[in-house]
Structure formats: structure tokens, C-alpha cells
Amino acid sequence: MKKIIVTGGAGFIGSNFVHYVYNNHPGVHITVLDKLTYAGNKANIEAILGDRVELVVGDIADAELVNKLAADTDAIVHYAAESHNDNSLNDPSPFVHTNIMGTFVLLEAARKYNVRFHHVSTDEVYGDLPLREDLPGHGEGEGEKFTAETPYNPSSPYSSTKAGSDLLVRAWVRSFGLQATISNCSNNYGPYQHIEKFIPRQITNVLSGIRPKLYGAGKNVRDWIHTNDHSSAVWTILEKGVIGETYLIGADGEEDNKTVVEMILEAMGQSKDAYDHVNDRAGHDLRYAIDSRKLREELGWTPEFTDFKAGLAETIKWYTENENWWKAEKEDVEAFYAKQGQ
Ligand code: NAD
Ligand code: DAU
């Protein structure tokens, strides 16, 4: 692969992938196609824009633009999405536009120009799992996690549009022989994540003198993975993945939300209980957990950043040192949540 398009490459995870490819695969030219919505930020890739990394500002649902770019590439790595559950509960329409229509336009272009396609998706397409404490034997063993065979059961407008986009990809593989793979990853954390999301919201709350906000009782469990590990996994699938296959990406990082808030508070020198319980999210998924054995055993991938406490400390340091990156948006983000009692 000499030329790739990365959709959503100015967002949190997409920009991490662009840096990953830039640093590790010097022979590859990257065209970032990004609409620069509220979640996209040119600053995330500014330092590497030049001969090897180009930014095209545009909509993945713009067929004319997408066709023009697809005619001159070897692969499309598709990250662009509306990605936040809480926003999808407030207004689902951009989620249908980008996640469904945008993916459709990209698939048609990949089909037309016979381009390798990798679709970046989420574990949320599988719905949720019971809490371990409610399972016989407390859910020890891999059997109690999502696998590629778990039936789709999405809960929110966000996850249902991601599920719809996955199914489009599968149909394009079967009906048209598209050279595509899919990955479904668990919750990412790390630098450059928008402050609407759980971990950066709480870190920037503490930095702004606001108490962290925990939805409901905080028993919900997420399976945290450092975004650098997500990037190495996607590259592995792009190079070695079997066409038509789905790979689940995870790093065995299950933590409940209350524990994560307490860890952030402790790491930032605050009292562990200095947070507020706020209104729960409608339809809030209880637990996600990934069984990533297929990716590890068949493609030889292993995560590197498995010390969550250390990764969290590094993330706190980044938000502390990069106030300019997030400060201007903080008031609006908190005003949005305040309207919902969150
Ligand atoms: P993000 O919201 O930080 O970034 C999304 C990017 O897509 C932004 O740069 C935005 O400008 C761009 N974009 C949105 N609509 C567009 C459009 N119509 N045309 C072109 N660009 C558009 O999202 P993220 O958290 O980095 O997630 C990236 C991908 O990874 C998504 O597909 C998401 O479903 C998936 N994913 C995310 C997580 C997570 O924990 N955040 C976990 C698993 C999978
Ligand atoms: O599992 C992968 C998914 O992870 C991705 O597909 C999504 O794009 C990504 O946003 C993320 O979804 P979540 O809904 O799990 O992430 P979020 O950061 O919004 O919330 C994480 C958990 O924290 C969730 O249980 C809700 C809770 N929460 C969130 C916020 C913003 C709080 O308790 N307080 C908060 O202020």
C-alpha cells in the first residue's frame, strides 16, 4: 500500500492512526478526508501536514469528492463518524447522514475503483452484557465477552447507525466482492479525545474547578484500550486481515465508571469522593467486554499500553499541558450537559 485515505483523520482516533502510519510506515502517503465538524481539529495533524500527509476538508457523503479521491488510492480506512451517544439521543439526524449515508457513498466508490476498504466500528453494535457480579461464577472466562459471532443488538441512535454501517460493509463484500474488513473496538482513551467524552470531561472538570459527573450509580463497565493500541491493531488488520472478516479489538481493560472517576480524582490530588452523581443516560448500556483472541491468535497482534493507571496519568498530563487545545469549548460542552441534568 502506497496511498491511503483516512476518513475522520482529524478526529481523536483517526488522527492517532495518521500519526501511527506517518511514524511507522514512511513509504505511505496519507490523504485525510475530514469535514472538520465540532469533533474534528486540524491541530491534531497540523505538525505532519506536508508531502506525505494531505488534508482534504469535505463530507464523506459527497459522492463527487469521494469518487475523485478514491480513483487515486490503494485503500480507504474509514474512521469518520458522529461518535457520541449523548449527542445521538439529542439529535440523531447527523448520525444517519454520516454513519449510514457517508459509509454507503464510500463503499460505492471503493467498489467502483476496486479499492481495499477497512471499516472502523465499535463494540456497541453488540448491545451490552450483564455485569460480572450478576453472572454465575462472576463471569470468569472469555465466554462472557463479545466475539465476532455475538448477535447485533444496538441500543442507541449512535450504535444502531454504526451497526447499520457494518451491515452495509458485509453486504458489499458478499454481493459485490468488495475487498473489505471490519474491526469493532472497545472504549479508547488517550490524548486528543474530545472533552464531551467521559475521561477527558472529568479531567478537564477537575482542571476547571468543576466536580466530575458520574451517570447514575456509576456501575456501568467499559473495556478501556489506549488509542495507540487501536491504531496498531487497525494497521495489522489492513496488512494481514482476511477479506470479509470481522476482528474485535480490545486490551482486557474492564473498569466500572465509579472506579475510573475515583482513579482520576486520586491521580489529580483530590479526594476520591469529590464527584457528583447526575442523571443517567437513557438506555445506558451496562457493560462492554471484548474477546480479542481472534486478532491476537490469527494475526499476531498484542496491545502494548496495558497499564491503565499509567495511561490515565499520561492522559491527565496531556490535558493539563494542553489547555489551549480544549479550553475554548469547555463552557459550551458543560452547558449542553447541564441542560440534561448531567
Ligand atoms: P471523533 O468524534 O473524535 O472524530 C470523528 C471525526 O470524523 C472528526 O474529525 C469529524 O470531523 C469527522 N467527521 C464527522 N462527520 C464527517 C463527515 N460527514 N465527513 C467527513 N468527516 C466527518 O470520533 P472518534 O472517537 O475518533 O471515533 C472514530 C471512529 O472510531 C468512529 O467510527 C467510531 O465509531 C469508532 N470507535 C470509537 C471508539 C471510541 O472509544 N471513541 C471506540 C471504538 C470505535
Ligand atoms: O465502546 C466504544 C464506544 O465508546 C465508542 O463507539 C463511542 O464512540 C465512544 O464515545 C464510547 O462510547 P461510550 O458511550 O461508552 O463513551 P462515553 O465516553 O460517552 O461514556 C463512557 C461511560 O461513562 C458511559 O458508561 C457513560 C459514562 N459517563 C459519560 C460521561 C460523558 C459518565 O458517567 N459521565 C459523563 O460525564
Side-chain angles (χ1 to χ4, degrees):
M1 261 172 292
K2 291 274 172 256
K3 284 181 163 184
I4 65 172
I5 294 170
V6 178
T7 73
F12 164 47
I13 307 178
S15 66
N16 185 283
F17 180 75
V18 172
H19 281 274
Y20 176 84
V21 176
Y22 181 84
N23 291 329
N24 294 288
H25 302 282
V28 178
H29 180 276
I30 307 155
T31 300
V32 171
L33 171 58
D34 198 300
K35 194 176 172 181
L36 298 184
T37 66
Y38 79 96
N41 192 338
K42 191 178 172 190
N44 299 1
I45 49 170
E46 187 96 65
I48 55 172
L49 288 176
D51 288 351
R52 284 187 50 217
V53 182
E54 173 196 3
L55 171 64
V56 176
V57 179
D59 192 328
I60 55 165
D62 176 346
E64 199 183 325
L65 172 64
V66 166
N67 274 301
K68 200 175 98 200
L69 297 174
D72 185 29
T73 196
D74 301 317
I76 297 174
V77 189
H78 177 31
Y79 284 91
E82 285 293 334
S83 69
H84 193 37
N85 276 298
D86 292 319
N87 293 344
S88 81
L89 296 166
N90 197 46
D91 177 13
S93 82
F95 289 76
V96 175
H97 170 82
T98 292
N99 301 359
I100 302 280
M101 280 309 296
T103 302
F104 163 73
V105 167
L106 290 167
L107 287 171
E108 282 292 81
R111 171 158 87 107
K112 187 169 177 189
Y113 295 103
N114 197 21
V115 166
R116 170 82 169 86
F117 192 86
H118 180 72
H119 181 60
V120 176
S121 192
T122 168
D123 59 358
E124 296 196 14
V125 299
Y126 301 114
D128 60 357
L129 297 161
L131 295 177
R132 281 184 182 275
E133 66 203 53
D134 296 331
L135 286 165
H138 296 296
E140 290 310 321
E142 300 292 326
E144 306 296 348
K145 298 181 174 186
F146 297 135
T147 70
E149 281 69 50
T150 305
Y152 275 39
N153 187 26
S155 315
S156 73
Y158 163 65
S159 53
S160 61
T161 54
K162 289 297 290 187
S165 67
D166 290 15
L167 299 183
L168 290 178
V169 179
R170 288 182 182 198
W172 260 243
V173 171
R174 175 148 176 180
S175 302
F176 305 124
L178 189 80
Q179 301 291 295
T181 42
I182 300 175
S183 55
N184 298 82
C185 188
S186 59
N187 283 64
N188 285 222
Y189 75 100
Y192 297 101
Q193 184 168 32
H194 195 277
I195 57 166
E196 68 191 352
K197 303 284 172 27
F198 179 51
I199 288 179
R201 182 181 181 207
Q202 313 316 331
I203 295 171
T204 55
N205 274 354
V206 175
L207 291 173
S208 308
I210 303 169
R211 283 161 68 91
K213 309 292 181 219
L214 191 61
Y215 293 176
K219 285 177 112 181
N220 309 63
V221 172
R222 296 295 182 263
D223 189 354
W224 295 101
I225 180 172
H226 195 283
T227 190
N228 290 359
D229 282 330
H230 190 179
S231 291
S232 67
V234 167
W235 183 265
T236 303
I237 297 166
L238 200 57
E239 276 201 319
K240 299 196 219 159
V242 176
I243 297 303
E245 288 295 311
T246 292
Y247 297 92
L248 270 59
I249 306 173
D252 300 324
E254 280 183 71
E255 296 289 353
D256 66 57
N257 293 340
K258 180 169 173 286
T259 304
V260 175
V261 164
E262 288 173 352
M263 286 172 79
I264 292 171
L265 281 163
E266 256 192 331
M268 297 183 77
Q270 310 282 311
S271 156
K272 258 172 77 169
D273 60 358
Y275 62 87
D276 298 328
H277 289 279
V278 294
N279 288 344
D280 208 348
R281 174 183 285 170
H284 197 173
D285 282 341
L286 262 183
R287 173 178 162 243
Y288 306 140
I290 291 277
D291 177 348
S292 61
R293 281 178 297 174
K294 177 175 168 178
L295 175 61
R296 294 172 193 239
E297 288 166 15
E298 294 179 13
L299 305 189
W301 172 82
T302 39
E304 235 183 276
F305 302 87
T306 46
D307 182 342
F308 182 59
K309 199 174 170 193
L312 208 50
E314 171 229 46
T315 306
I316 291 169
K317 186 168 181 281
W318 188 85
Y319 283 92
T320 308
E321 289 172 355
N322 291 278
E323 209 175 275
N324 286 344
W325 187 85
W326 57 267
K327 193 75 184 172
E329 282 173 305
K330 186 66 184 166
E331 209 176 302
D332 286 352
V333 169
E334 290 310 310
F336 167 81
Y337 282 122
K339 262 194 257 158
Q340 289 149 178
Q342 292 179 320

